[in-house]
Every structure is written in C-alpha cells, then in structure tokens.
Amino acid sequence: MWIYEKSLERPVRVSRPNLKAAKMIISQYGGPDGELSASLRYLNQRYSMPTDMAKAVLTDIGTEELAHMEMIAALVHKLTDGAPPEAFVEAGWEGQWVQHDHGLFWTDVNGVPWSAKYIACLGDPITDLVEDMAAEQKARTTYEHLIEAMDDPCVIDTLRFLWEREVVHFQRFGEALNTVQEWMAKSKHVWCGCEMKK
C-alpha cells in the first residue's frame, strides 16, 4: 500500500542535547493526543467511511501521522543522544533510563504508557470525523504548549512544522465532513432516530 522513502518528511535538528525538552516532547510520541494515536485512529476509521474522498483523506492523513511519529522519535533521540544516567535523573526522567535506557517507548510526559483507549471509532462517519477534527485541535494545542516551553530554535522549527500540519489536517477533515454530510443527505442515509415500539 505504501512506498517508504528513507528520509524524514522534514529534517530534524537540535542545537544541543536537552533531556528536559525530550521528556516533554515524548508526549507527542505516545501521549493521548500524540502521533501514534492519530495515525491508528485515522487508518482504522477509513474503513467505515461512505465516500472515496473521505477514505482517501483518512488514509493520507493517517500515513502522514506515521511520518510525524518518526519525526518526533528522531527529535527525542537527538535530544537524548549520549546522555548519561545522571542527566536523566537531573531531568526528572529517571524512569525512562531505568526501563528503556536511550530506547524510545510510547509514553506521555509523565511516563504513562500509550493506551488504545486514546483512540475512538464509532463507525458513524460524522461522529468519527468530528472526533478527528477535535483530535487535530488537541494536537495543535499541545504543539503550541511545547513551542512555548522550548528555547532551542532548531527544535522550535520542527515543532512549528508539525503544528502547521495539524492545522491543515483539521481543514482537510472539515472538507471530508462536508462531503460526507452531503452524501448522507442525498442518499437519505441520515439516521432520524428509532421508531417507538407499541
């Protein structure tokens, strides 16, 4: 289904290692509003979309979210590369060192592991697309918080790029929602409630 290009969607650079920054950014790897949750949500929901356009949007964005997860992984790796155990302790991230060393694992900023409860799929295209729009807004807000907390211009550049993509994804989901609502109205697929039993 995909052809993998062996390069990041956009180059990731850091000015210097910074474990405190990495600890915050890891949330976009495995936190509730992170890239793993987004990619799995969209690539799963595409199967219950009624139009080819909506399926394509979910496939495109779900695939791009995998690329964003790769960028976040590269960013965290570069921010932690070569750091000794005491640097993890100083950053308040000793749990990462003890359990994973320099390895990446899907957690949030507090070390809580990723959970499937972070994603939703109700099978109703309108409900799922509105959920997707909300997910993109939550990710946008998280990126804004991260940008405000950073002092490395290289890290900010990467986070700003990812922030911009969240805005575009929100717009694309809005377009998909409009086409699905039009399709449902024309096809008389709108659910109007159930009949009362006598």
Side-chain angles (χ1 to χ4, degrees):
M1 179 174 176
W2 294 293
I3 297 172
Y4 177 63
E5 195 174 301
K6 294 185 179 182
S7 62
L8 295 175
E9 183 178 3
R10 180 182 168 108
V12 170
R13 295 179 183 85
V14 301
S15 300
R16 64 196 175 285
N18 184 335
L19 273 75
K20 287 185 180 182
K23 181 183 178 186
M24 288 186 276
I25 292 168
I26 196 73
S27 195
Q28 284 303 90
Y29 193 60
D33 304 314
E35 304 296 352
L36 175 63
S37 297
S39 64
L40 294 178
R41 176 187 297 114
Y42 307 151
L43 292 173
N44 186 51
Q45 289 175 353
R46 67 188 169 146
Y47 292 103
S48 56
M49 288 294 138
T51 68
D52 289 341
M53 182 271 195
K55 287 177 186 171
V57 167
L58 284 159
T59 302
D60 290 348
I61 295 175
T63 302
E64 187 177 359
E65 300 290 12
L66 290 172
H68 294 171
M69 187 171 59
E70 186 179 33
M71 289 176 68
I72 291 292
L75 188 56
V76 170
H77 172 72
K78 288 180 179 204
L79 288 167
T80 61
D81 193 27
E86 54 270 16
F88 283 87
V89 173
E90 185 180 319
W93 206 18
E94 56 272 20
Q96 166 68 23
W97 173 262
V98 170
Q99 293 186 321
H100 308 292
D101 192 333
H102 286 86
L104 292 171
F105 192 74
W106 294 275
T107 65
D108 69 9
V109 67
N110 299 307
V112 177
W114 183 86
S115 171
K117 66 184 174 185
Y118 295 156
I119 60 177
C121 180
L122 290 170
D124 176 84
I126 292 176
T127 302
D128 286 343
L129 287 168
V130 170
E131 160 72 21
D132 299 341
M133 291 174 73
E136 291 298 320
Q137 291 295 352
K138 288 186 272 185
R140 176 193 56 79
T141 301
T142 302
Y143 278 119
E144 288 172 3
H145 293 166
L146 287 170
I147 290 166
E148 288 178 23
M150 298 297 133
D151 61 1
D152 183 333
C154 294
V155 172
I156 291 170
D157 180 65
T158 297
L159 296 174
R160 190 175 304 282
F161 170 79
L162 294 167
W163 172 86
E164 290 170 358
R165 297 308 299 158
E166 304 299 346
V167 173
V168 171
H169 295 170
F170 175 80
Q171 293 167 340
R172 296 278 321 277
F173 282 134
E175 294 164 5
L177 178 61
N178 288 339
T179 63
V180 166
Q181 288 174 322
E182 288 171 12
W183 178 86
M184 292 180 83
K186 288 180 186 173
S187 303
K188 302 189 190 261
H189 287 104
V190 177
W191 186 77
C192 298
C194 55
E195 293 180 8
M196 297 291 290
K197 292 184 179 178
K198 295 183 181 181

